[in-house]
Amino acid sequence: MTELELIIDLFKDTDRQGPGSTENTARALGFVEADLSAPMQIADIGCGSGAQTLALAQHTGGHITAVDLFPEFLDRLNARATNTGLRHRITTLQASMENLPFQQEQFDIIWSEGAIYNMGFSEGIKAWKRFLKPGGYLAVSEITWTTHTRPAEIEQHWQREYPQTDTASAKIKLLEENGYMPVGYFTLPVNSWLQQYYLPLQALFPAFLARHGHSSQAVAVVEAQRSETELYQRHKSYYSYGFYVARKLQG
Ligand code: SAH
């Protein structure tokens, strides 16, 4: 198995593939000034196994097109949607966020939690804007520095992992420069990282390692996750996921 296949095999059994929570999805939705019970069109890009897709279906009257590159996650989302009676409200689509088969101005809301980094925040907000109706909303969560300065260890880690890691003011400026009106920003609380994401993931390590006969590649995947969690525990006052909600300018 390649490293990517192992990562998918580990993450496909988690309820979410990045920090977040249903409460925080609902909190971001609170910045959308529209009748949420209306039959809106919503895209959820980089949906994973659909934690926020299900939350969007529960908290709106919209139809959600949930996109991910990997069918393993979409299969899990479809099963969860069926089990929760939300299957008719969700369409899954295997596609790359960099090459979306959408129409111009198709969506009222474009949602993306913990995923836009795969193409880059700056590239994503530019590329996806055409798919939003004028006055439509973009809601994305993105790794964000929460202080002006920080220890070199964590600075270097995120620079290496994702060079666009930056402060909220820099991200909000990018939104403004690209034809969006920022309407809301908050950071995800510690609970969204630990209880919702890292701890449930850790609980899967023993079965994952057993399934792969404790191969050196499987051990390396687990060690990388452990090390990211440990960095978070030590440096969590310097970064979080920022949740950005912005409105596409009219005309
Ligand atoms: N939104 C989910 C998943 C976040 S993890 C949650 O918060 O739980 C990031 C997701 O982006 C993964 O599911 C991964 O498969 C997906 N992804 C990675 N590259 C992608 C691409 N180029 N196009 C679409 N999805 C992609």
Side-chain angles (χ1 to χ4, degrees):
M1 265 192 171
T2 64
E3 187 192 358
L4 180 62
E5 286 166 339
L6 283 168
I7 290 172
I8 292 170
D9 186 61
L10 172 63
F11 279 86
K12 70 174 175 17
D13 294 331
T14 55
D15 281 348
R16 52 184 329 123
Q17 288 73 38
S21 70
T22 299
E23 292 73 24
N24 284 294
T25 297
R27 188 172 171 197
L29 257 182
F31 290 107
V32 173
E33 219 180 299
D35 175 9
L36 294 179
S37 64
M40 298 179 289
Q41 289 297 325
I42 304 174
D44 180 9
I45 303 177
C47 61
S49 64
Q52 71 292 307
T53 322
L54 300 171
L56 289 168
Q58 276 152 0
H59 287 88
T60 72
H63 188 90
I64 300 128
T65 304
V67 184
D68 205 277
L69 198 52
F70 301 110
E72 292 86 346
F73 295 136
L74 297 175
D75 290 347
R76 181 89 199 285
L77 168 53
N78 281 325
R80 293 170 88 187
T82 301
N83 291 340
T84 48
L86 295 166
R87 187 72 190 84
H88 61 294
R89 305 269 312 285
I90 296 169
T91 303
T92 54
L93 175 69
Q94 187 189 351
S96 172
M97 62 173 74
E98 297 184 66
N99 189 18
L100 292 164
F102 295 149
Q103 310 285 311
Q104 193 105 344
E105 301 184 3
Q106 184 176 339
F107 293 102
D108 300 280
I109 301 178
I110 293 182
W111 209 269
S112 183
E113 293 195 27
I116 198 171
Y117 73 87
N118 284 295
M119 68 184 290
F121 183 90
S122 159
E123 292 77 5
I125 64 169
K126 289 177 192 155
W128 301 346
K129 197 173 109 185
R130 74 179 72 98
F131 305 127
L132 268 182
K133 292 177 186 162
Y137 286 83
L138 173 73
V140 294
S141 70
E142 161 88 337
I143 199 92
T144 300
W145 297 128
T146 51
T147 54
H148 186 56
T149 57
R150 60 213 65 96
E153 181 191 24
I154 195 64
E155 170 109 37
Q156 284 160 12
H157 170 81
W158 282 111
Q159 276 305 320
R160 203 168 47 240
E161 292 293 314
Y162 181 48
Q164 288 190 35
T165 307
D166 213 334
T167 54
S169 55
K171 299 284 171 191
I172 288 171
K173 187 158 186 274
L174 269 176
L175 288 164
E176 290 166 344
E177 286 169 354
N178 285 285
Y180 293 95
M181 176 175 79
V183 297
Y185 166 72
F186 62 92
T187 53
L188 289 183
V190 170
N191 163 73
S192 282
W193 288 80
L194 293 180
Q195 281 75 17
Q196 298 287 327
Y197 175 56
Y198 283 139
L199 297 180
L201 186 64
Q202 277 174 17
L204 297 174
F205 291 165
F208 170 78
L209 288 170
R211 206 155 62 234
H212 297 286
H214 292 260
S215 72
S216 55
Q217 294 96 321
V219 170
V221 165
V222 163
E223 281 315 311
Q225 292 306 322
R226 279 200 220 281
S227 142
E228 192 192 298
T229 309
E230 189 271 327
L231 270 180
Y232 176 73
Q233 301 266 28
R234 268 189 304 123
H235 293 297
K236 59 183 176 304
S237 43
Y238 302 102
Y239 66 99
S240 187
Y241 261 90
F243 220 127
Y244 301 85
V245 185
R247 197 162 192 191
K248 178 175 168 175
L249 297 185
Q250 312 260 0

